[in-house]
Amino acid sequence: MQWLIWIGIVAVMAVLLAKTRWGYRVWLAGVAVALGVLTAVGLLHGIGIVLVWLLYLLVAVVLLWTPFRRPWISQPVMQAIAKALPPMSDTEKAAIEAGTVGWEAELFRGRPDWSRLSAVAAPTLSDDEQAFLDGPAETLCRMLDDWDITHERNDLPPEVWDFIKSNGFFGMIIPKSYGGLEFSAYAHSQVVMKIASRSVAAAVTVMVPNSLGPAELLLAYGTEEQKSHYLPRLARGEEVPCFALTGPLAGSDASSLPDTGIVCKGSFEGRQVLGFRVNWDKRYITLGPVATLLGLAFHAHDPDHLLGEVEDLGITCALIPTGTPGIDIGRRHNPSGAAFQNGPNSGRDVFIPMAWLIGGEAQIGNGWRMLVERLSVGRGVSLPALSTGGGKLASFATGAYARVRRQFHLPIGRFEGVEEALARIGGLTYLMDGGRRLTVAALDAGERPSVITAMVKYYLTESMRQVINDAMDVHGGRGICMGPSNYLGGTYQTLPVAITVEGANILTRTLMIFGQGAIRCHPYLLDEMAAARQGDVVRFDTLLLDHVGHAVRNGARAFVYAIAGRWLAPSPASGAEAEYYRALSRFSAAFAVLADMAFLVLGGQLKRKEKLSGRFADALGYMYLCSAVLKRFADDGRPKEDLPLLHWSCRYALHRIEQALDGVLRNFPLRLPAWLARVVLFPLGRRWHGPSDRLGHQVAGLLLAPNDSRDRLTAGVFTPDDPDDPVGCLEHALKLAIQAEVVEARLRREGIRPDAQMPHDDWLQAIEKEGHIVADERKLLNDFREAAMRVIRVDDFAPATSVAEAPVAKAPAAKAPAAKAPAAKKPAAKPATKKTSAKESAKTETKRKQTTIRR
Ligand SMILES: Cc1cc2nc3c(=O)[nH]c(=O)nc-3n(C[C@H](O)[C@H](O)[C@H](O)COP(=O)(O)OP(=O)(O)OC[C@H]3O[C@@H](n4cnc5c(N)ncnc54)[C@H](O)[C@@H]3O)c2cc1C
């Protein structure tokens, strides 16, 4: 009985700790009264009284007696931290301080305030933005023929370049006062997403000038003179920009770039002026080969002290017209055959006046901060839009294909194995779109959240990789055989580009997300580090006390919510989604406890424990995505039909969060703290096991037929209605398949089965004559057969024409960077694609198969 009373007391204390924000003085008073009562009624007796009261006194002395605590506890802890802190370069400091924190900080701190999430305005389009999407963006998509771009021209056609430039696609982020479109981040994202669903090359071409390009940097740091000169020209497409940061020796570690600028005097427009003599060697620069304006990052030095005492001035950014003497530009790489313009460039002793530095002389040395701050904005828009566009196209096309394509007399989408892949395609696309929308909403609200943008870059490109892989599997050979009819293979081929650029994914996950998040989102860590560095023990002591309180409350919350979250964890919604909000509240507290444990136990070593920090990143990333889909569901008006998508994506995300936290505990180098943490965080073990098969079946079902959920899921991508278009024909065939299935089911019930010996047409005529179907039904079955053949047909080429003959630029020999690569071959003659009418295809299908085998 006494034990029960003690368990009850501990439970009440844990709940109070979890749910209240009382300070330690209130707690000390409350515990003293409680212990007094327990002693008086005899629940505490013998040695127990002494031990419990001694423990209480010890805690009270530490908390209340500052003259003891400060020198004996806070001071040594502070000194140990100061010693363990790795030295921080200005570059690292700039990266850490760049941008703002937003919703991810709520999740990081262990007590998400759901009203903050609900208060984020749902992203909307202005009339102008909607008109642009329905007008020029739609027209551009209609003009794009990805096969022609990637395999015949190795470039966008001239009329597409002209259309992009003259319709302001390069000026989406430029204010109207400078002649741009001044679009919101949401509109910008919608445009990129739409184009990406048609052609990756075109999407990348539009993305670059609007993300980390000269316009973005000019807007934030340019002088008024630079803005008025360049922004209108960029908006009108009179200048094609690129930005060159990385090179052969500095890729992921871009801040170590070896490209130099030496302060000197030189001749400019007939006068001797102060400037830089710049030397560089860059590669992989998107739009570089066709750029007229080169944004360049180099390391500035002033060895002759022409500017002052300091010799090493730091990374500096300039805008250089590409016609400037000394620049070698124009050769091309071949990035996964995507055919967007990308190549190396270099400069030898190129003189640039101070006026060409972005922001002028005042911004010398601020280049890294500029890039990191602005990179976070573009990173949150472009690649997430491209990834979601890929996911939406895959959802639209794969569902339709899986209903139209039959094997073993059934649509392949009805097989459980295919259903699994379809469910992942639909569920992950829903998750991606939620993350995309919440992120652009934050950007439109003026936030510059560097941790969030790194997370959406990583988790959306990785989700796209999974979705496209699944879509390829479902399409089988139809996705593999390249040609004008293949709408998927191009995206599959160029996946690694999205994975690698704007922060390569392995590095982004294992180094950046948690590393930056820990410092930016933690309520005390950054201040504690600053106080430790300055040796300010008074400040450190206050912070430490608050930090301990924060950790204890998070521990109590994680424990209480793990046991009784269903009743005690907060949720802003009461419907089907409430359990997900509650689970997120629990995992947020558990994450905060584990993060504090890792900081305390591992300290500076954590930076090298990339496997652990990668798992922390997963937990934080999926908490963000899960809350983003909940927000999206609420913004959409909680449509009941979307519940399978919501349930699938939330259960998937919660499973990934739990798996990541469990992984941290399993692999934590010190076992005792890990074991204690497991008792607090997982007292009842793990419970989120991912979406069930039944749920997967429901999600797959949404992709296999036209419906409102599918429309909402795939909204915003280019889905032409032309039955002769490779994508357009899918919807047409899907609708016919659904109608045909009704007739076919009736025939099956009547025992009427196709006669394998007879051509399909003849068989239909025969059963019509026998009265099993009417003329309209025969036409329907015929139409479906033709439409299905159009959908499943792949391209073939005349034997003499090899796809490998398509023009490609060859890489220069490794040891001779100055030597020119062999000139790119002339575009190959248009491959003689055999275009057979669908009807003819149907009739000759068997014959073709035999021919192929013979070949
Ligand atoms: C198609 C394309 C377009 C591009 N466009 C531009 C552009 O317009 N402008 C521009 O300046 N650059 C551009 N880049 C360069 C791009 O930013 C770099 O490719 C990228 O930074 C990675 O550098 P890297 O390829 O040299 O790989 P590396 O830096 O060699 O990295 C190789 C691998 O090691 C991992 N890695 C490296 N360090 C760590 C670490 N500390 N912890 C964990 N993992 C690590 C990376 O994640 C990666 O997986 C482009 C690249 C490509 C391929």
Side-chain angles (χ1 to χ4, degrees):
M1 181 62 185
Q2 278 198 11
W3 280 111
L4 278 180
I5 295 172
W6 276 109
I7 289 173
I9 290 169
V10 171
V12 169
M13 276 179 65
V15 172
L16 288 174
L17 260 176
K19 300 295 284 183
T20 68
R21 288 179 191 258
W22 296 339
Y24 62 87
R25 285 192 175 80
V26 177
W27 273 101
L28 283 176
V31 172
V33 171
L35 287 181
V37 172
L38 291 173
T39 311
V41 297
L43 271 173
L44 267 179
H45 43 75
I47 188 79
I49 298 185
V50 180
L51 286 179
V52 170
W53 277 103
L54 266 181
L55 185 66
Y56 173 81
L57 280 177
L58 187 69
V59 174
V61 164
V62 170
L63 289 177
L64 297 175
W65 196 17
T66 312
F68 166 78
R69 185 184 66 243
R70 218 178 260 165
W72 292 101
I73 296 178
S74 301
Q75 176 91 21
V77 173
M78 186 185 82
Q79 282 167 345
I81 289 181
K83 222 165 133 190
L85 276 180
M88 203 186 286
S89 65
D90 287 348
T91 312
E92 278 178 298
K93 240 190 256 166
I96 280 167
E97 286 163 13
T100 58
V101 291
W103 177 243
E104 84 286 21
E106 291 284 323
L107 296 167
F108 201 106
R109 289 171 187 173
R111 191 175 196 150
D113 174 358
W114 294 111
S115 65
R116 275 196 65 183
L117 184 68
S118 312
V120 177
T124 50
L125 296 170
S126 69
D127 290 347
D128 282 356
E129 291 166 342
Q130 187 63 58
F132 188 85
L133 277 159
D134 297 340
E138 182 81 12
T139 309
L140 174 61
C141 288
R142 287 190 194 284
M143 293 168 77
L144 296 170
D145 174 348
D146 202 45
W147 177 255
D148 175 58
I149 293 168
T150 52
H151 287 82
E152 292 179 15
R153 295 173 190 275
N154 200 18
D155 194 4
L156 303 178
E159 61 277 15
V160 169
W161 274 107
D162 287 346
F163 189 84
I164 286 175
K165 290 176 184 175
S166 59
N167 282 278
F169 281 89
F170 283 170
M172 283 191 281
I173 58 164
I174 296 177
K176 287 186 175 149
S177 52
Y178 292 108
L181 295 172
E182 198 175 341
F183 278 177
S184 61
Y186 181 51
H188 175 184
S189 164
Q190 292 288 109
V191 172
V192 172
M193 187 174 78
K194 186 165 190 156
I195 303 171
S197 65
R198 195 63 172 169
S199 157
V200 172
V204 171
T205 303
V206 168
M207 264 160 57
V208 167
N210 287 293
S211 55
L212 186 70
E216 180 80 42
L217 295 174
L218 280 173
L219 280 169
Y221 309 101
T223 62
E224 200 40 58
E225 203 185 335
Q226 289 171 335
K227 288 186 200 174
S228 346
H229 177 73
Y230 279 122
L231 291 177
R233 297 167 62 78
L234 286 163
R236 289 194 297 267
E238 287 165 18
E239 299 277 5
V240 176
C242 69
F243 197 89
L245 167 66
T246 63
L249 297 178
S252 298
D253 185 13
S255 65
S256 67
L257 48 85
D259 314 291
T260 56
I262 307 293
V263 182
C264 64
K265 286 204 158 181
S267 165
F268 180 65
E269 294 177 345
R271 287 177 297 128
Q272 281 292 301
V273 297
L274 204 56
F276 281 92
R277 189 175 64 254
V278 194
N279 283 280
W280 72 88
D281 182 13
K282 306 284 193 183
R283 65 174 179 180
Y284 304 154
I285 307 307
T286 305
L287 296 191
V290 292
T292 58
L293 186 62
L294 170 74
L296 184 79
F298 61 89
H299 203 116
H301 300 271
D302 185 14
D304 300 327
H305 299 284
L306 296 177
L307 293 177
E309 290 304 305
V310 185
E311 274 191 28
D312 182 348
L313 301 173
I315 294 175
T316 301
C317 296
L319 286 184
I320 310 176
T322 51
T324 306
I327 297 184
D328 184 3
I329 198 164
R331 286 161 52 205
R332 291 183 66 178
H333 299 304
N334 177 7
S336 295
F340 57 85
Q341 294 284 342
N342 181 283
N345 65 68
S346 58
R348 292 285 166 266
D349 294 333
V350 178
F351 179 74
I352 62 165
M354 290 293 178
W356 287 7
L357 302 181
I358 298 177
E361 218 173 305
Q363 293 291 355
I364 292 177
N366 283 339
W368 190 247
R369 175 181 287 273
M370 288 180 180
L371 292 169
V372 172
E373 274 181 6
R374 303 323 290 179
L375 177 68
S376 76
V377 182
R379 190 174 54 190
V381 179
S382 306
L383 290 170
L386 184 137
S387 306
T388 314
K392 287 185 174 219
L393 175 71
S395 300
F396 178 86
T398 315
Y401 182 79
R403 182 79 180 248
V404 171
R405 170 70 169 161
R406 292 169 177 183
Q407 289 294 283
F408 306 100
H409 309 296
L410 270 183
I412 55 170
R414 298 290 179 212
F415 296 111
E416 286 205 354
V418 174
E419 223 176 58
E420 264 188 337
L422 285 174
R424 270 195 302 270
I425 293 171
L428 286 177
T429 301
Y430 192 71
L431 201 67
M432 287 154 81
D433 204 23
R436 177 187 75 96
R437 283 166 48 153
L438 183 60
T439 306
V440 289
L443 293 174
D444 282 335
E447 290 179 29
R448 296 285 172 262
S450 50
V451 180
I452 288 181
T453 56
M455 288 195 302
V456 285
K457 189 273 163 174
Y458 176 81
Y459 291 99
L460 268 53
T461 52
E462 289 294 338
S463 300
M464 169 174 70
R465 170 142 71 177
Q466 177 67 56
V467 164
I468 299 294
N469 271 330
D470 279 326
M472 288 292 286
D473 288 355
V474 174
H475 279 77
R478 175 73 176 85
I480 294 166
C481 288
M482 299 300 285
S485 318
N486 190 332
Y487 43 81
L488 205 57
T491 308
Y492 174 75
Q493 265 186 346
T494 48
L495 275 175
V497 176
I499 300 292
T500 301
V501 300
E502 298 197 18
N505 274 9
I506 295 180
L507 168 112
T508 301
R509 171 174 176 263
T510 58
L511 195 73
M512 286 165 64
I513 295 175
F514 185 63
Q516 210 172 21
I519 295 176
R520 291 308 308 270
C521 301
H522 195 286
Y524 303 107
L525 209 61
L526 190 58
D527 290 343
E528 282 168 341
M529 280 162 50
R533 278 208 174 88
Q534 291 155 10
D536 182 348
V537 70
V538 176
R539 172 114 187 90
F540 185 85
D541 178 63
T542 315
L543 290 165
L544 187 64
L545 214 56
D546 291 346
H547 190 160
V548 170
H550 165 81
V552 170
R553 274 192 291 269
N554 274 331
R557 211 172 297 125
F559 180 71
V560 168
Y561 292 171
I563 292 175
R566 171 187 280 213
W567 303 282
L568 293 173
S571 162
S574 55
E577 69 268 38
E579 65 169 322
Y580 305 129
Y581 283 106
R582 294 198 178 103
L584 283 175
S585 294
R586 172 201 164 191
F587 282 132
S588 166
F591 175 91
V593 172
L594 267 190
D596 269 329
M597 184 177 97
F599 302 142
L600 182 71
V601 176
L602 300 175
Q605 276 183 52
L606 190 54
K607 199 174 165 182
R608 287 187 298 280
K609 296 273 174 209
E610 290 195 346
K611 291 177 198 161
L612 283 187
S613 66
R615 292 187 178 99
F616 275 117
D618 290 345
L620 188 62
Y622 281 106
M623 283 197 283
Y624 178 76
L625 291 180
C626 191
S627 41
V629 284
L630 287 164
K631 165 81 177 139
R632 181 221 161 123
F633 182 68
D635 287 348
D636 284 351
R638 301 191 154 83
K640 253 211 230 117
E641 317 81 65
D642 291 1
L643 276 173
L645 290 166
L646 180 83
H647 286 308
W648 194 98
S649 48
C650 285
R651 284 172 183 275
Y652 175 84
L654 289 165
H655 170 63
R656 296 295 303 262
I657 296 164
E658 196 175 64
Q659 195 179 36
L661 296 180
D662 180 62
V664 171
L665 287 172
R666 275 181 200 284
N667 294 282
F668 203 74
L670 271 78
R671 298 313 302 151
L672 182 65
W675 183 82
L676 290 174
R678 186 177 288 284
V679 172
V680 174
L681 308 183
F682 291 102
L684 305 179
R686 289 177 58 177
R687 71 154 283 209
W688 293 98
H689 303 293
S692 66
D693 290 352
R694 215 169 130 223
L695 195 51
H697 172 75
Q698 290 167 7
V699 172
L702 292 178
L703 301 192
L704 288 170
N707 56 62
D708 290 348
S709 270
R710 178 172 175 262
D711 289 349
R712 268 189 294 274
L713 181 71
T714 59
V717 290
F718 182 66
T719 46
D721 46 15
D722 175 2
D724 287 329
D725 180 276
V727 176
C729 69
L730 282 164
E731 193 70 356
H732 176 64
L734 173 63
K735 286 178 183 156
L736 289 174
I738 292 168
Q739 295 169 37
E741 281 171 14
V742 178
V743 180
E744 288 165 342
R746 199 196 69 224
L747 290 175
R748 263 198 310 278
R749 279 197 304 275
E750 291 171 8
I752 315 287
R753 304 210 178 267
D755 184 344
Q757 309 299 320
M758 221 188 243
H760 193 250
D761 266 6
D762 297 351
W763 175 69
L764 287 177
Q765 278 176 21
I767 60 171
E768 187 190 351
K769 265 192 206 144
E770 291 164 16
H772 296 295
I773 52 172
V774 295
D776 281 355
E777 290 171 331
R778 181 168 64 84
K779 180 174 177 336
L780 170 66
L781 295 179
N782 248 332
D783 288 351
F784 168 61
R785 176 97 169 165
E786 278 187 24
M789 282 312 299
R790 206 174 299 139
V791 164
I792 60 185
R793 191 195 69 195
V794 300
D795 303 291
D796 47 32
F797 300 87
T801 313
S802 150
V803 181
E805 281 176 40
V808 284
K810 289 187 184 162
K815 285 185 89 183
K820 296 268 183 210
K825 283 183 193 169
K826 273 190 180 173
K830 197 173 172 167
T833 316
K834 193 169 176 181
K835 290 194 176 163
T836 331
S837 82
K839 200 169 178 178
E840 194 188 329
S841 302
K843 281 188 174 167
T844 55
E845 189 188 12
T846 324
K847 199 175 159 201
R848 266 162 177 264
K849 270 186 197 159
Q850 288 164 351
T851 317
T852 316
I853 292 163
R854 270 205 307 275
R855 271 183 205 155

